Amino acid sequence: NTGLNFGELYTYTVYATNGDGIQTASIFDSKYTLAATPFVPTVVNPSSSTLVVSITYGDANSTSVQYAIQETGSGNYIQADGSFGVSEYWATTSTWSSKTITGLSPNTTYIFKAKARNGENTETSFGPSASLYTYANMQGMPVLGSAATSSLSVAFDTNNNPGYTTYSIYNNTAGNYGAADGLPTSIP
C-alpha cells in the first residue's frame, strides 16, 4: 500500500472466497507506519529565565505521534512541567503546543531539537535545531564615583549576568553613550 499517513495505525484482513461465493476472513494484523522526522521546533518569548518551545506543525504526522524535545547544550529533555530531565518525555503535538521552559540562566543561548515516534515506539532521528538567547538580567543602578573636572567614574552591579554580557552606559544629560575608553560616542 502506498500514500499512507505518517505514524498511523493500519489494520488489514485477508478474505478468501470459494467457488460458491462464500467468504472466510483471516485474522487481522495491524502495523504503524513510520513517523516523519519533525520540523525545527519553534522557540519564542524569551525572558531572563524562561523560553517558550513548541513543536512546529506541518510535518504530516498522525495526531497520535509523540515527540521528545532535547536541549542540545546539556543533552537533557524538556519535561511535562517545563523543567529539564535526563529522560525523554514523550507527548503529542497538542501537549507541545506551547511549553514554557523554566529555570534558565540569563543571557544564555539554548538550542532545541525534536524527534518523533509512532505507536510502536519506533523513533525518528532528530530534526533540525532552533536556538534563542534568554534576556540578560536587569543590571543594577549606575553608581557615580570619583569626580574630576571633566569626568566621572561609573560602576554598576552586573546582577549575575555571564561574563560575556556587554553593557552600554548612557549619559542622559549629554545625550550620548560612554565608550570603553571613557570618550563619548553615539553608538551603544
Side-chain angles (χ1 to χ4, degrees), residues 4-17:
L4 302 178
N5 296 328
F6 296 115
E8 194 161 317
L9 180 65
Y10 287 91
T11 303
Y12 292 87
T13 304
V14 176
Y15 292 91
T17 306

Side-chain angles (χ1 to χ4, degrees), residues 47-137:
S47 77
S48 62
S49 62
T50 64
L51 293 169
V52 175
V53 179
S54 61
I55 291 294
T56 304
Y57 289 97
D59 61 13
N61 278 323
S62 163
T63 57
S64 65
V65 168
Q66 295 181 320
Y67 299 84
I69 303 175
Q70 183 184 55
E71 194 283 311
T72 64
S74 65
N76 289 326
Y77 290 86
I78 300 173
Q79 302 299 300
D81 63 0
S83 66
F84 289 122
V86 295
S87 299
E88 299 156 332
Y89 168 70
W90 293 96
T92 62
T93 53
S94 60
T95 300
W96 288 119
S97 64
S98 181
K99 183 66 70 178
T100 300
I101 313 309
T102 58
L104 304 179
S105 299
N107 194 22
T108 302
T109 188
Y110 289 91
I111 304 168
F112 298 94
K113 61 184 179 179
K115 61 182 176 177
R117 71 179 183 185
N118 67 10
E120 294 171 340
N121 296 331
T122 303
E123 299 178 14
T124 67
S125 58
F126 281 103
S129 60
S131 66
L132 191 63
Y133 270 90
T134 51
Y135 288 158
N137 281 329

